[in-house]
């Protein structure tokens, strides 16, 4: 829904662990978006600022080859890196793996989008609303809500 220009990069960090250290090196502001185990009803959007993140207990690892976010930040600080970091999280109904969004998470997406936009704007990045994309109805020359020029331009 929004564009922040070339200064904002979206990255799927997945389970990269230590591999994410290079991104901490390259950026001054990092907003992490993920499911978050926290107090509250499923679908709630939670913001965790850097100060609370550093005082939170370490998370358990799922394997010996992964490190947690808190460990990653400790390594970054050891290397002299200290970017502004915050987490925008949505509380899931459960933390089991899956490919489909639950109804609670789907309903929370607009709230999460607003929270991400607000967080980036606090960091000094200005949001611009993206132009809507329209698909032409190939079966009908005119659609009742279609008031765009015939060439499809915006």
């Amino acid at each position: 829904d929004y564009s922040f220009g070339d200064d904002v990069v979206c990255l799927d960090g997945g389970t990269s662990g230590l591999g994410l250290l290079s991104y901490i090196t390259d950026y001054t502001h990092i907003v992490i978006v993920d499911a978050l185990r926290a107090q509250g009803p499923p679908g709630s959007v939670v913001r965790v600022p850097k100060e609370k993140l550093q005082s939170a207990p370490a998370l358990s690892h799922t394997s010996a080859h992964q490190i947690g976010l808190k460990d990653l930040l400790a390594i970054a600080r050891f290397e002299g890196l200290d970017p502004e970091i915050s987490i925008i999280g949505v509380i899931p109904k459960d933390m089991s793996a899956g490919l489909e969004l639950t109804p609670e998470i789907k309903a929370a997406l607009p709230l999460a989008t607003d929270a991400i936009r607000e967080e980036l704007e606090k960091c000094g990045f200005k949001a611009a609303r993206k132009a809507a994309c329209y698909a032409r109805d190939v079966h009908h020359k005119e659609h009742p809500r279609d008031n765009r020029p015939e060439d499809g331009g915006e």
Side-chain angles (χ1 to χ4, degrees), residues 12-154:
D12 181 357
T15 57
S16 299
L18 195 56
L20 295 174
L21 188 60
S22 65
Y23 293 99
I24 293 175
T25 302
D26 294 340
Y27 296 99
T28 58
H29 296 79
I30 298 171
V31 178
I32 297 167
V33 181
D34 206 347
L36 186 65
R37 184 173 288 141
Q39 294 295 319
S44 297
V45 176
V46 179
R47 177 185 179 272
V48 181
K50 181 179 181 177
E51 306 78 47
K52 284 191 178 182
L53 189 61
Q54 291 174 339
S55 65
L59 300 175
S60 61
H61 308 297
T62 56
S63 82
H65 301 286
Q66 294 178 348
I67 65 168
L69 180 59
K70 188 168 181 170
D71 297 327
L72 181 65
L73 295 177
I75 293 168
R77 281 192 305 278
F78 180 77
E79 293 190 7
L81 306 170
D82 195 25
E84 289 301 316
I85 295 180
S86 60
I87 295 177
I88 302 296
V90 180
I91 301 174
K93 195 171 191 174
D94 68 73
M95 294 291 282
S96 59
L99 298 176
E100 298 295 320
L101 297 177
T102 64
E104 295 86 359
I105 300 298
K106 283 182 185 177
L109 289 179
L111 297 173
T113 299
D114 286 342
I116 295 163
R117 178 188 48 77
E118 290 169 7
E119 190 67 23
L120 288 169
E121 286 179 344
K122 278 197 272 186
C123 296
F125 301 101
K126 299 298 176 205
R129 237 200 209 296
K130 288 183 179 180
C133 296
Y134 296 99
R136 282 224 170 257
D137 185 339
V138 294
H139 300 292
H140 297 91
K141 187 120 179 122
E142 291 182 8
H143 189 278
R145 291 177 284 162
D146 190 359
N147 60 0
R148 295 179 310 269
E150 276 298 300
D151 67 0
E154 295 182 302

